[in-house]
Amino acid sequence: MQQSLFITLEGVEGAGKSTLMSYVAEILSNSGKDVLQTREPGGTKTGEQIRNILLNRNNITVTDDTELLLMFAARAQHISEIILPALSSGKVVLCDRFTDASYAYQGGGRGIETSRIETLEEWVQQGLKPNLTLLFDLDVETGLRRAGNRSEADRFELEEMSFFERIRTCYLQRAKNEAERFRIIDAAQTFDHVKQQIQDILKEYL
Ligand code: TMP
């Protein structure tokens, strides 16, 4: 059986990770891996319904704790319904955002204590961690401009610049603290150069 691998993609809004996920999947598939692409919040029927609640800009009364708990509720469903079965059948799971986003957005962005997030992580994941996390790093202003050109702002994208600055700082700090798991990709570079960075990183895993 093939060796399973859990890869996550992270970054601030507009860093291009969702577009580049298909490129990552292509490289892995071309080297014979069985790849499953998914995303958070979402990835299951229940999770996608939770995603709609979280991203709907009309839900202005959602509290920070509700937001965090909903992220982990969707994650619990995702892990048991999709991620664990795929990993146990030897697939490569490629996930557009995972728990690092909860630390960055709900921790860094909203200011929820790290210890609360750690408690939920332990409860829901029971030791499950990505093998590799690609952090698409980009200055906040450029990212928001790119995201703004794409579509109408969701509930998160309505936040102020300082919210996203805290998120970026938190991501970079986590990448520093867990350097063996994270690889930082400079998303300000041209598309071709970003692709080259991805190729170089994935070589180790093919
Ligand atoms: P997306 O725009 O990358 O699809 O992600 C949806 C939004 O959800 C994005 O603004 C980041 C946010 N998010 C969190 O705040 N916490 C989380 O744990 C996850 C997975 C996403």
Side-chain angles (χ1 to χ4, degrees):
M1 195 197 283
Q2 298 230 348
Q3 175 148 35
S4 65
L5 202 56
F6 183 24
I7 303 177
T8 58
L9 284 74
E10 300 281 358
V12 289
E13 320 290 315
K17 69 183 167 41
S18 306
T19 316
L20 288 157
M21 185 153 116
S22 33
Y23 182 65
V24 174
E26 193 184 307
I27 296 178
L28 294 165
S29 302
N30 287 346
S31 78
K33 312 255 184 227
D34 190 356
V35 183
L36 182 135
Q37 294 184 63
T38 186
R39 69 170 179 183
E40 289 208 350
T44 63
K45 225 171 161 182
T46 317
E48 290 294 326
Q49 290 178 64
I50 296 174
R51 179 185 178 91
N52 287 339
I53 298 173
L54 284 162
L55 298 196
N56 188 329
R57 54 192 283 165
N58 296 323
N59 290 335
I60 45 169
T61 56
V62 169
T63 69
D64 295 349
D65 282 349
T66 305
E67 185 178 289
L68 176 67
L69 291 165
L70 285 175
M71 290 293 176
F72 273 95
R75 184 161 297 136
Q77 189 68 30
H78 194 204
I79 289 172
S80 87
E81 203 181 314
I82 305 286
I83 299 178
L84 286 183
L87 292 175
S88 39
S89 68
K91 289 189 180 156
V92 174
V93 173
L94 210 53
C95 192
D96 187 347
R97 295 197 191 279
F98 194 62
T99 306
D100 293 302
S102 301
Y103 283 100
Y105 281 74
Q106 283 66 55
R110 304 286 190 214
I112 296 180
E113 301 97 282
T114 306
S115 61
R116 292 198 168 188
I117 306 175
E118 283 168 349
T119 302
L120 291 169
E121 179 180 18
E122 217 169 283
W123 178 8
V124 167
Q125 290 169 226
Q126 294 177 32
L128 173 72
K129 274 216 156 204
N131 302 100
L132 169 68
T133 298
L134 302 176
L135 174 59
F136 291 84
D137 183 53
L138 181 66
D139 70 276
V140 168
E141 205 178 332
T142 312
L144 289 178
R145 202 176 335 108
R146 285 191 195 167
N149 291 338
R150 218 173 41 202
S151 56
E152 192 188 50
D154 63 32
R155 199 175 58 84
F156 289 98
E157 289 162 350
L158 293 173
E159 292 295 332
E160 303 199 341
M161 190 93 104
S162 56
F163 175 76
F164 296 102
E165 293 288 3
R166 292 196 297 278
I167 289 166
R168 183 184 186 202
T169 305
C170 184
Y171 268 136
L172 289 171
Q173 188 60 50
R174 288 184 69 72
K176 205 168 161 193
N177 294 347
E178 292 187 57
E180 66 301 336
R181 171 167 70 89
F182 274 91
R183 296 288 179 279
I184 300 176
I185 292 169
D186 180 359
Q189 301 287 326
T190 61
F191 197 56
D192 281 346
H193 193 221
V194 172
K195 282 170 139 182
Q196 187 59 52
Q197 293 178 69
I198 294 173
Q199 264 182 39
D200 293 344
I201 292 166
L202 289 182
K203 261 186 216 145
E204 282 181 58
Y205 297 86
L206 300 178

